[in-house]
Amino acid sequence: MSEKEEKHPFKVILEKYISEILVIFIGISISFFFDEWRENRKDDETMKKHLAFLRTNLVEDTLNLTSRIKHSSKLVNSINKLTYFRSDTEIKDSISFHIDNAASYLFFKPNQMAYEEIRQTAHTNLIKNDSLKILFLSYYTSTIPYCTEWCKIDETHTMTQLIPEMSSYFPVVTDSLKIISSQEIIKALRLKKLRNLLLANAVYKKEGVNSFITTKKVAIKLLKKVDNELQKD
């Protein structure tokens, strides 16, 4: 056998070890690849479940906000009726209705179950779409708190200032033992202090309605992004 054809025993052993190491390395790499693929697939499935739940919450929020906007606008309209009437006949027949509305305050309770679930499980990082993630966090940490804060401002002013002031002149809540004529109520509504409180309350309610409108727009925008993400393969 020629010198070229003959291999040194050490070289044979080295080639054997190298080939075995390569086989092991390739095997481990393939194993890691499939483990990562399975983990990514599991994360995608988890995120889709979260998004489907989030979608349900957002649909509920938009429907709720639509109702809140319509109802709250009626409250503002009633206050305007009580403050801007020119003749007694304009409000005489509906004065109790408008007073009930004026004594009501804004309210909105968003459905945050999906958000809390994602936050508590630390799965926010599973949202790979950056624009979706940013809007998602903004909606629940900025938009909704701003909206509910205006509701709280209106509630506080209505309960601690407006209702007590109105109650000193006429019953805000129907009281059969204390009957006040429409004419007496109208006279009280012309008083400067009560009128100014009504006007201030109207401002708070208008800002609350604006916050409802803004929140609804953001909810719809987020809902569209969620739908687009759910439609991806």
Side-chain angles (χ1 to χ4, degrees), residues 123-209:
H123 283 166
T124 306
N125 63 314
L126 296 183
I127 305 176
K128 297 175 182 179
N129 186 320
D130 288 339
S131 63
L132 171 59
K133 183 189 295 185
I134 291 171
L135 188 59
F136 165 73
L137 292 173
S138 175
Y139 178 70
Y140 286 103
T141 63
S142 178
T143 305
I144 284 180
Y146 178 79
C147 180
T148 54
E149 180 62 23
W150 270 111
C151 290
K152 190 63 182 176
I153 290 171
D154 175 57
E155 178 187 355
T156 300
H157 184 268
T158 301
M159 297 297 292
T160 65
Q161 296 189 53
L162 183 59
I163 290 179
E165 183 64 22
M166 287 196 298
S167 298
S168 64
Y169 301 105
F170 49 80
V172 177
V173 180
T174 302
D175 185 353
S176 59
L177 299 179
K178 186 179 180 182
I179 299 175
I180 304 293
S181 68
S182 297
Q183 202 60 43
E184 289 179 284
I185 296 175
I186 291 171
K187 183 180 179 181
L189 290 172
R190 293 185 185 278
L191 296 174
K192 186 175 180 180
K193 184 178 180 181
L194 180 53
R195 189 171 185 275
N196 286 342
L197 281 174
L198 284 165
L199 289 171
N201 193 259
V203 171
Y204 296 141
K205 282 181 168 58
K206 286 177 184 176
E207 286 304 315
V209 172

Side-chain angles (χ1 to χ4, degrees), residues 198-227:
L198 284 165
L199 289 171
N201 193 259
V203 171
Y204 296 141
K205 282 181 168 58
K206 286 177 184 176
E207 286 304 315
V209 172
N210 289 336
S211 73
F212 286 161
I213 294 171
T214 299
T215 303
K216 181 182 175 180
K217 288 179 179 178
V218 177
I220 291 173
K221 186 177 179 180
L222 179 56
L223 181 58
K224 289 179 179 178
K225 285 187 176 292
V226 169
D227 282 340

Side-chain angles (χ1 to χ4, degrees), residues 53-131:
F53 189 22
L54 175 61
R55 187 186 189 283
T56 301
N57 288 182
L58 290 170
V59 169
E60 185 177 326
D61 280 358
T62 53
L63 291 174
N64 191 359
L65 284 164
T66 299
S67 175
R68 292 289 93 200
I69 291 168
K70 185 177 181 180
H71 175 70
S72 301
S73 296
K74 289 181 179 178
L75 303 188
V76 174
N77 182 61
S78 284
I79 294 178
N80 287 336
K81 292 286 186 181
L82 295 175
T83 53
Y84 293 112
F85 67 94
R86 293 184 178 181
S87 64
D88 296 358
T89 55
E90 289 181 38
I91 60 170
K92 187 176 181 180
D93 295 335
S94 56
I95 196 165
S96 295
F97 171 77
H98 293 314
I99 288 173
D100 285 343
N101 281 346
S104 302
Y105 52 82
L106 306 187
F107 176 77
F108 172 58
K109 185 177 182 181
N111 190 331
Q112 302 189 76
M113 293 179 66
Y115 167 69
E116 291 298 333
E117 183 179 271
I118 294 172
R119 187 179 64 84
Q120 291 174 11
T121 55
H123 283 166
T124 306
N125 63 314
L126 296 183
I127 305 176
K128 297 175 182 179
N129 186 320
D130 288 339
S131 63

